[in-house]
Amino acid sequence: MKFLSAISILSVFSLCFISSFPTSKWRFLCPDCTPTLIHDPDQEFINGAVARKQETNISHILFGISGSSQTWRRRRHYCELWWKPNVTRGFVWLDEQPREPWPETSPPYKVSADTARFKYTCWYGSRSAVRIARIVKESFELGFENVRWFVMGDDDTVFFTQNLMNVLNKYDHNRMYYIGGVSESVDQDVVHSYTMAYGGGGFAISRPLAAELVRILDSCIDRYSAFYGSDQKIGGCMSEIGVPLTRELGFHQMDIRGSPYGLLSAHPLAPLVSLHHLDYLQPLFPDTNRVASIKKLIGAYESDPSRVLQHTFCYDLTRNWSISVSWGYNVQLYPFVLSANELNAPPQTFLTWSWRRGPFTFNTRVMSLNPCERPLVFHYDRIDGLTSTMYTRSQPRYKRTCNMESYKAAYLVRGFNVSAGLLDPQFWNQAPRRQSCQIMSGWAEQDDVVQVRIRG
């Protein structure tokens, strides 16, 4: 009896063990059974061979860009910086037919359907929010095949498409995902929402979620008629569907005023995906206009997409120097030692969207007006070869200089040469960790270019 009981227990255990495998997975259960391949959702089996599923590329993305016939002339230059005709797919959605010939360098356009039948009761907003909210529905109903992601943005949103693809590749496009970022200014998040993707920074909706959203969107727009913006209405619909926002730190609404220098000098540890509100900010680089500044940043991005704006810092303890590098943007030389915690926080060169000193959704540190407490800034100038970037001294807005001995030595530096290997996009699929930098040995005080190397 004990022997039979043991067999029974073993049989039950075996059945439980076998049944614990999900029914969608197959295993070699015994050598005499008909062999079946293990099912992995990331693999396909073609003619008996294992092949990786195709990664998301630019052809799998359909962009829906909100615009208007009145704003396109002055804003199209931003979009044309990242749009690649016959490569990028999507449309600019206008409120009416354009009155001038449509530029060949611009994305193709479509005119949105009439939205007069929808309710809009936000007294301080614009009815255009209804039209813009429906762009995802109208894009979906075009019936394009092989679309995995519907990406929404504004006519003044600049996308960094290679990094966008790398971010989306982290997620299964066959599942419901709503991916984007929130506002940098707490006052905007309080007024609108902490749980919606802000439309100017752009957001991505997977195809299965888009199908569900399209089913309820029109009635949802009426239910949320009091909501101010299109993105807020989409966020309300997502709450009904039950899909939360997946936050990615590389989507930038840029709800700030003033100079973006501080924010871009200490970019979060995430690939740069988008920038918005560029007409409301000072140019990214000194002595250039806004469009030329973005074009310059894109030049650095195209040479190493994964590394652009990635932040690191190191120390020269023989001179008590702190050196902060935002790759492809600037190098800041502090002739004194700052802690890692301080260097990680963006210097506050900007105000909130409503022109206040804060708060923000991230820590900041005070940017002093005292010349003996400010860094010397060297902005990105060019790339030499594949791995070496040059940064040259920028003319400071504040002409005052510091007479301290530590600053006198720092003023002798004319530029920085920063070398770094190409950053593998797979870096972002690992546990995040900031890369390090070091000042190359042999640099003497009489030299005017400091050599810095970035490495893992």
Side-chain angles (χ1 to χ4, degrees), residues 172-329:
D172 184 353
H173 61 274
N174 294 307
R175 300 185 182 277
M176 293 187 180
Y177 277 107
Y178 169 48
I179 301 171
V182 300
S183 173
E184 294 82 1
S185 295
V186 167
D187 52 18
Q188 295 302 296
D189 292 317
V190 169
V191 170
H192 301 297
S193 176
Y194 279 100
T195 59
M196 75 177 195
Y198 280 67
F203 56 87
I205 299 175
S206 63
R207 189 182 190 95
L209 180 55
E212 184 66 16
L213 177 64
V214 164
R215 189 179 64 82
I216 69 166
L217 182 59
D218 285 351
S219 60
C220 187
I221 287 174
D222 278 342
R223 284 193 293 277
Y224 296 108
S225 62
F227 281 4
Y228 167 81
S230 60
D231 45 7
Q232 196 177 12
K233 294 176 188 296
I234 295 291
C237 299
M238 293 299 182
S239 297
E240 295 189 3
I241 297 171
V243 175
L245 172 65
T246 298
R247 287 188 61 182
E248 282 285 345
L249 298 178
F251 289 86
H252 294 291
Q253 173 75 4
M254 301 298 280
D255 275 348
I256 57 175
R257 306 280 188 169
S259 172
Y261 150 76
L263 180 58
L264 302 184
S265 297
H267 192 270
L269 192 56
L272 172 65
V273 175
S274 67
L275 295 172
H276 179 233
H277 276 156
L278 299 168
D279 275 342
Y280 298 89
L281 298 169
Q282 295 173 14
L284 272 58
F285 292 94
D287 303 322
T288 59
N289 61 39
R290 292 181 175 93
V291 174
S293 282
I294 296 296
K295 190 173 183 178
K296 188 173 184 178
L297 183 66
I298 288 176
Y301 151 79
E302 289 177 340
S303 66
D304 193 349
S306 295
R307 191 179 291 282
V308 68
L309 289 191
Q310 292 314 300
H311 181 221
T312 186
F313 46 84
C314 47
Y315 301 95
D316 181 347
L317 297 181
T318 62
R319 297 173 179 81
N320 285 334
W321 284 3
S322 306
I323 296 173
S324 175
V325 179
S326 175
W327 192 92
Y329 183 57

Side-chain angles (χ1 to χ4, degrees), residues 8-27:
S8 300
I9 291 171
L10 181 59
S11 300
V12 171
F13 174 80
S14 301
L15 287 171
C16 292
F17 179 76
I18 292 171
S19 64
S20 67
F21 289 110
T23 56
S24 62
K25 294 187 179 293
W26 297 89
R27 298 289 188 270

